[in-house]
Amino acid sequence: MDEVFKALADPSRRQLLDRLYAENGQTLGQLCERLAMTRQAVTKHLVLLEQANIVATMRRGREKLHYLNPVPIHEIAERWIGKFEKRRLQALSDMKKALEEGAGEKR
């Protein structure tokens, strides 16, 4: 889990993960588009994300496609967030629904 936390700590790596979330299976060139990073910087970040198992790759001919692997992030959420916040989040969700239902009845 330390590698996952380290990988998620950097805003540039989170930006790459957001790009993969929006469109999974991108090449290095596609990931470099619209980013203010050099190709070498993106490669360096991808290596750390792969080592943390947050990004998986697959070859398609000469292309190397990058895919988001959400499992390590889910494990962190379950281990470090879920058990502490599940009841509070459910209570907030229930309150929101009740307030929305109450506002709908007044219309």
Side-chain angles (χ1 to χ4, degrees):
M1 278 194 188
D2 289 343
E3 286 181 329
V4 176
F5 278 113
K6 179 181 176 183
L8 294 174
D10 186 275
S12 296
R13 288 191 285 273
R14 291 192 305 268
Q15 188 177 17
L16 285 168
L17 293 174
D18 286 340
R19 296 279 315 272
L20 288 173
Y21 178 78
E23 184 183 339
N24 223 356
Q26 295 185 62
T27 64
L28 176 61
Q30 290 170 321
L31 287 168
C32 290
E33 292 174 5
R34 298 181 307 265
L35 290 177
M37 283 189 274
T38 65
R39 191 174 179 93
Q40 283 181 313
V42 173
T43 300
K44 180 181 172 184
H45 289 303
L46 286 172
V47 166
L48 287 170
L49 291 168
E50 287 179 55
Q51 289 173 346
N53 199 29
I54 300 172
V55 169
T57 60
M58 184 177 82
R59 290 246 178 230
R60 183 177 66 193
R62 297 181 67 195
E63 294 180 319
K64 183 177 180 182
L65 304 175
H66 299 83
Y67 293 90
L68 178 64
N69 176 16
V71 173
I73 297 169
H74 175 74
E75 288 173 347
I76 284 175
E78 287 291 311
R79 170 70 172 92
W80 294 102
I81 299 167
K83 71 180 179 182
F84 297 111
E85 296 297 324
K86 197 170 280 188
R87 284 189 218 133
R88 287 185 202 166
L89 292 173
Q90 186 60 52
L92 288 172
S93 177
D94 293 344
M95 185 181 349
K96 179 181 182 272
K97 287 177 189 173
L99 290 170
E100 289 173 347
E101 289 171 2
E105 292 173 3
K106 292 181 182 179
R107 290 181 189 167

